[in-house]
Amino acid sequence: METSQNSEPCTSPSPPAPGDTACDLVTVPARQGLEAVDILRRAAADAVGPVLHDDDRDTLGFLVPAGTAAGWDVPGSTCTETNGRGLRLAPEPPVAGADWLLPPGDDADLATDPAVLREALGEAARLIEAADKCC
């Protein structure tokens, strides 16, 4: 697995308000997302950016650099653009009903490298499929 990371912070086409960034958000089912977080953290502790956990929808959301949504094609996931609206990376989650699994600044990079995330999600899907077939 490639462990390089994107060192570019999430950026905005217009000057952001303090604490705002323009990132896209990759959303996956919680089970696959948790497995992917484990894979990313084992590969390199700083290969994963902030991650949101939405209990109501049973999903995880990975912050990725702006522009990722344009080419995102991973089955079972969605990538949503922020359209330059910015995303507040503060202690409180930016989405109602969600909590930070990996908060900004706590062992998290500014954004997860989309190529590394794609590989981790694929590996997680294969591990889950194998576990489900096994038992």
Side-chain angles (χ1 to χ4, degrees):
M1 170 189 270
E2 182 178 325
T3 58
S4 68
Q5 67 178 6
N6 186 351
S7 59
E8 290 295 313
C10 299
T11 58
S12 176
S14 59
D20 282 357
T21 58
C23 294
D24 291 347
L25 183 70
V26 173
T27 306
V28 298
R31 184 176 179 200
Q32 183 180 11
L34 290 169
E35 191 66 46
V37 167
D38 286 344
I39 291 165
L40 289 167
R41 294 199 75 173
R42 279 193 309 262
D46 59 353
V48 61
V51 178
L52 284 168
H53 179 234
D54 187 339
D55 249 348
D56 294 340
R57 293 188 178 101
D58 199 28
T59 60
L60 256 61
F62 293 83
L63 295 182
V64 293
T68 300
W72 191 255
D73 60 354
V74 177
S77 69
T78 59
C79 189
T80 308
E81 293 179 284
T82 60
N83 295 324
R85 292 174 297 201
L87 181 64
R88 189 161 303 281
L89 295 182
E92 61 281 343
V95 179
D99 291 311
W100 290 111
L101 177 67
L102 293 176
D106 287 0
D107 295 333
D109 197 15
L110 295 173
T112 301
D113 182 310
V116 174
L117 178 58
R118 179 178 280 114
E119 288 183 34
L121 290 173
E123 184 177 340
R126 289 187 296 277
L127 288 170
I128 291 167
E129 182 179 356
D132 287 349
K133 285 182 180 178
C134 169
C135 304

